[in-house]
Amino acid sequence: MSVMTYIGAIGAAQQEAMSADERVIIIGEDVEANVYGTTGGGKQRAEKGDFVEQFGQNRIRNTPISEEAIVGTAIGAAMTGLRPIVDLSYSSFLYMAMDQFVNQAAKNRYMFGGQSSIPVVFRSAMFYGLNTGAHHSDRPYPMFMNVPGLKIMAPATASDAKGLLRSAIDSDDPVLTFEAVPLWGQKEEVPDEEYHIPFGVARTHREGSDITIVGISGSLPLALQAADEMEARGVSCEVIDPRTLVPMDTDTIVRSVLKTGRLVIAEPAHRTCGAAAEIAAIVADKAQHALVAPIKRVCALDMQVPFSPVLEREIYPTKERIVAAIEAVCADQLNQVNRRAS
């Protein structure tokens, strides 16, 4: 095991995949200058070692500043034998290539009668909470969840980021990976050997009996902090990270709610039509009889992202907002604890 940052684990996964398979390439804006194949203007270094020197300029290719051209090129390359990793930088830039994502990457296998696969990974970074303004702060993964044919991952830890990215690169389907930039610097022990984490398998970070908390992407650390606080107050919290949103391991979440009877979901995307809304709907459908309290969602507010740091902090989930949701859902449990204490 080695201690790695989240972004370092991303770099390690790319380095392993490129060493293992010469069909794997990296393309994107300024990736030759960002020699570690990272997202985000070269300010973060994903892994020590010059990718261009190690793998050659033919496999680390700069592109024009045109997201539609980048995505379209990658889809064509994937359909003709390569396995591109596309660095799209800010997740907000995905909008410029919507036709390529929705009508080409997602549909080409179907439109060609299964004669071709599209083994391509599209990396993007969610720069929220960092005062990057309304045009650069979106967390648009729920929008792409509504496009059949796309796989979507949003890992929240370094070890998950590495293992899921290796699986994404090996997949014959297009994968969108959304990296929460506030997590880039977080460190975790990561296995040194190559490993893969399958899509559609959630990770239970802590077990509990009173309430299920689902933490998505950058909201997972906040959910764990809230669980620690509530545990000290007598509420046993089970914390689950779906890790991949398409496919999503809803069975693990439903089994947990059948045990706890309560559910809070936290995510950094907007409240309306978000991943939290989908999870809430599935639980209401499959585990309504087990619920002893309403489901609560803790999401970003449905508004544009302010540039002001003070205002921007108000729109995203916080530990305090998650604690308040748990308190509302577990009011009876907390009253019992308080009565016993008195």
Side-chain angles (χ1 to χ4, degrees), residues 115-304:
Q115 296 179 80
S116 66
S117 57
I118 302 91
V120 56
V121 176
F122 300 101
R123 287 183 54 218
S124 69
M126 301 182 291
F127 278 80
Y128 67 94
L130 300 168
N131 320 125
T132 52
H135 283 161
H136 295 81
S137 301
D138 286 347
R139 295 82 52 220
Y141 55 85
M143 187 180 302
F144 292 93
M145 291 174 65
N146 199 36
V147 181
L150 300 176
K151 292 181 178 178
I152 298 173
M153 57 182 259
T157 68
S159 61
D160 288 343
K162 183 183 178 186
L164 285 170
L165 186 55
R166 285 306 313 274
S167 294
I169 295 168
D170 289 350
S171 173
D172 286 333
D173 297 305
V175 178
L176 274 66
T177 172
F178 292 89
E179 302 163 19
V181 173
L183 300 177
W184 269 0
Q186 293 200 7
K187 296 181 179 180
E188 184 186 33
E189 284 195 338
V190 177
D192 293 324
E193 70 274 7
E194 295 187 23
Y195 65 96
H196 296 68
I197 295 174
F199 275 51
V201 179
R203 177 179 175 183
T204 301
H205 281 263
R206 63 182 294 167
E207 295 187 355
S209 57
D210 294 326
I211 185 171
T212 300
I213 308 171
V214 177
I216 298 171
S217 185
S219 293
L220 176 68
L222 304 175
L224 289 168
Q225 293 169 21
D228 287 340
E229 179 173 323
M230 296 308 297
E231 194 81 32
R233 296 170 58 184
V235 177
S236 176
C237 302
E238 185 149 293
V239 180
I240 297 172
D241 176 8
R243 301 197 290 193
T244 64
L245 301 173
V246 181
M248 187 190 297
D249 180 8
T250 55
D251 288 345
T252 293
I253 298 170
V254 169
R255 281 196 300 269
S256 177
V257 174
L258 290 174
K259 176 176 65 174
T260 66
R262 301 176 178 88
L263 176 63
V264 167
I265 312 156
E267 69 165 327
H270 294 298
R271 179 180 176 85
T272 300
C273 297
E278 179 66 14
I279 293 169
I282 290 170
V283 170
D285 182 47
K286 295 185 176 181
Q288 184 178 13
H289 62 283
L291 291 169
V292 297
I295 299 169
K296 292 288 186 182
R297 290 177 285 153
V298 183
C299 311
L301 304 181
D302 288 338
M303 60 176 290
Q304 303 299 343

Side-chain angles (χ1 to χ4, degrees), residues 34-80:
N34 303 341
V35 291
Y36 307 124
T38 70
T39 297
K43 296 179 182 178
Q44 293 280 350
R45 295 300 176 92
E47 181 70 16
K48 291 182 179 179
D50 186 331
F51 272 38
V52 174
E53 181 177 335
Q54 183 175 357
F55 300 113
Q57 203 164 25
N58 282 340
R59 297 179 65 194
I60 311 289
R61 284 297 188 98
N62 281 348
T63 63
I65 304 175
S66 171
E67 283 73 23
E68 187 169 25
I70 297 168
V71 174
T73 298
I75 294 168
M79 292 177 68
T80 53

